[in-house]
Amino acid sequence: VRQVVAATGAVTSLYPLVAGASKGVAVHPHGTVLYVANTDNNLVLSLTTGYTAPPSPAPTAVPSPEPTTTWGVLEVVAGSPTGLTGSTNGVGTNAKFNQPYDVASTADGATLVVADTYSSRVRKIDLASGVVSTLGSGFSFPAGVGVTWDGTLAFVADTVNNRVKQIVVATGATTTLAGASAAGAADGVGTNARFSQPVGLAVSSEAANGVVLWTCDRNNHKLRMVVVGTREVLTVAGTGSPGFADGTGTNAAFNEPYSVAATADGTVAYVADTNNHRVRLVSIGFETSVTTLAGSGAAGAADGVGTHAAFDTPTGVAILNDKDGNREDLGQSLLFVTDLGSGRVRRIVAATGAVSTLYPLVGGAPRGVAVRGDGTHVYISDTGSHLIRSLSTRITNPPTQVPTPVPSTEPT
């Protein structure tokens, strides 16, 4: 890395040898840090220049009633930074994954559950210690996972086996909730029900009828519901054929939906309608309705509101809400979407459909997404890089007004 004084042409070496081929460089506005695109090693490096920036007056903080979200810090939680694949357990970057398709988080953010799809395993990450362990194996292309709020039960879309399975997290005991090896679309109870390559999963831990799962039945182009307590499977929406149509229940149409998120009480679900390049809103009740929350239908990456925004093959969606199904501290529910085709992480304000880019480019292939219960971090399954990543959202809640102290006449 060389430095040239523009006025004189004097050249010096700022750093003697960067391993690999480095092809791009940028400089911080204060001149204190350089950022280097280290091409051969697939890295972005930072290099301190030794300059010191002149002090500037601290800006006056202006409290905002809205949550503040800017591009956060993208970090590796687990997996090989050099892209090595495998199913090795270990701590952090000593562990290996093989094309993980989905990730789910407990409400407290203590544990992640990962669909390690090409390893045919479900993995668990303890975020405090970084330890990666195997929660279950023997699946066939597991492409979706969900977890209860308290982290006691995990659920798996065992995609090629056309089943939805349950794992007791404490013991690893795995059972089939619904589905059988033969593909189909029949509603029913347990193994009498049929799926055709179920993928994304969401868990409503506090629905009126107990714990409820929602799954995108991809090849049937439907949203299905599984009542955990009774193992009953019902079709919520979708005609059964690929297409696009808003409407009620089975009059609505999807095109290979890949991911679903749901409120804790099970009254609202959001579907990543992948091949329609849209995010759909499903209001669940006596007459279930499906509408388009965001996306024009044409592949793209434009931010905007509702159908003025564009997605490119969205494959993951997660919802930020508390256990009552809302976010009273933020005043709004937020969705996070992994937009596979554009490589971006997007944010949607559920009440308005306003879409913004949370992070502009995640290397590899960002496919699955989960959000920590307090909204501080989004977790991404980066399929192409075989990594689980963490992205700080920088959501801050409105400041609480400090009460004025009242003088007391009593002794202190």
Side-chain angles (χ1 to χ4, degrees):
V1 178
R2 316 290 291 280
Q3 172 186 286
V4 184
V5 179
T8 64
V11 180
T12 55
S13 288
L14 190 61
Y15 197 83
L17 181 62
V18 178
S22 295
K23 294 189 175 182
V25 65
V27 60
H28 189 279
H30 292 160
T32 54
V33 181
L34 296 179
Y35 302 99
V36 181
N38 186 214
T39 311
D40 282 358
N41 292 315
N42 303 305
L43 296 171
V44 176
L45 307 173
S46 67
L47 172 63
T48 55
T49 63
Y51 294 120
T52 57
S56 57
T60 303
V62 180
S64 170
E66 299 297 323
T68 301
T69 305
T70 58
W71 292 347
V73 178
L74 187 67
E75 299 176 301
V76 173
V77 174
S80 168
T82 58
L84 296 177
T85 64
S87 57
T88 305
N89 292 325
V91 178
T93 55
N94 292 317
K96 295 182 180 67
F97 297 90
N98 192 352
Q99 297 199 34
Y101 266 44
D102 199 16
V103 60
S105 172
T106 55
D108 59 4
T111 303
L112 298 180
V113 176
V114 179
D116 194 9
T117 306
Y118 276 68
S119 288
S120 301
R121 288 169 165 81
V122 173
R123 316 284 290 280
K124 182 177 76 170
I125 305 175
D126 182 278
L127 287 176
S129 64
V131 171
V132 179
S133 56
T134 298
L135 190 57
S137 60
F139 304 100
S140 182
F141 204 88
V145 287
V147 63
T148 54
W149 276 104
D150 58 8
T152 57
L153 295 175
F155 303 96
V156 186
D158 193 5
T159 303
V160 173
N161 283 326
N162 299 308
R163 291 174 167 93
V164 174
K165 295 184 177 180
Q166 173 184 291
I167 303 176
V168 178
V169 173
T171 64
T174 304
T175 54
T176 295
L177 276 180
S181 57
D187 290 342
V189 176
T191 55
N192 291 319
R194 294 291 185 269
F195 300 96
S196 184
Q197 297 205 359
V199 280
L201 280 180
V203 182
S204 292
S205 294
E206 298 179 353
N209 45 353
V211 178
V212 170
L213 305 182
W214 312 92
T215 186
C216 291
D217 195 3
R218 185 180 65 175
N219 285 355
N220 283 323
H221 313 282
K222 292 180 177 182
L223 177 65
R224 312 286 293 281
M225 177 179 74
V226 183
V227 181
V228 173
T230 63
R231 300 172 62 201
E232 183 180 13
V233 179
L234 297 169
T235 297
V236 177
T239 63
S241 299
F244 169 73
D246 289 336
T248 58
T250 55
N251 293 315
F254 302 97
N255 191 350
E256 294 196 8
Y258 216 95
S259 180
V260 58
T263 55
D265 62 5
T267 58
V268 178
Y270 300 92
V271 175
D273 192 4
T274 304
N275 286 352
N276 279 325
H277 310 292
R278 292 173 166 99
V279 175
R280 314 287 291 281
L281 166 63
V282 184
S283 298
I284 299 157
F286 179 75
E287 188 174 64
T288 295
S289 67
V290 180
T291 56
T292 298
L293 178 66
S296 65
D303 290 338
V305 177
T307 56
H308 294 287
F311 296 92
D312 188 348
T313 322
T315 53
V317 60
I319 185 171
L320 170 60
N321 54 196
D322 65 19
K323 293 179 70 174
D324 296 322
N326 56 58
R327 283 286 291 179
E328 292 178 354
D329 54 347
L330 292 176
Q332 57 194 7
S333 290
L334 301 175
L335 305 177
F336 298 92
V337 178
T338 38
D339 201 18
L340 179 65
S342 71
R344 300 181 180 210
V345 180
R346 317 288 291 279
R347 187 188 79 160
I348 307 176
V349 179
T352 64
V355 179
S356 57
T357 296
L358 187 63
Y359 200 85
L361 183 63
V362 177
R367 188 177 287 270
V369 64
V371 60
R372 184 184 166 106
D374 61 5
T376 57
H377 289 82
V378 170
Y379 301 102
I380 302 158
S381 55
D382 184 354
T383 306
S385 299
H386 315 287
L387 296 172
I388 304 301
R389 298 182 184 268
S390 168
L391 174 62
S392 60
T393 63
R394 298 193 178 172
I395 290 178
T396 57
N397 296 330
T400 303
Q401 185 175 358
V402 179
T404 304
V406 178
S408 172
T409 56
E410 299 298 319
T412 302

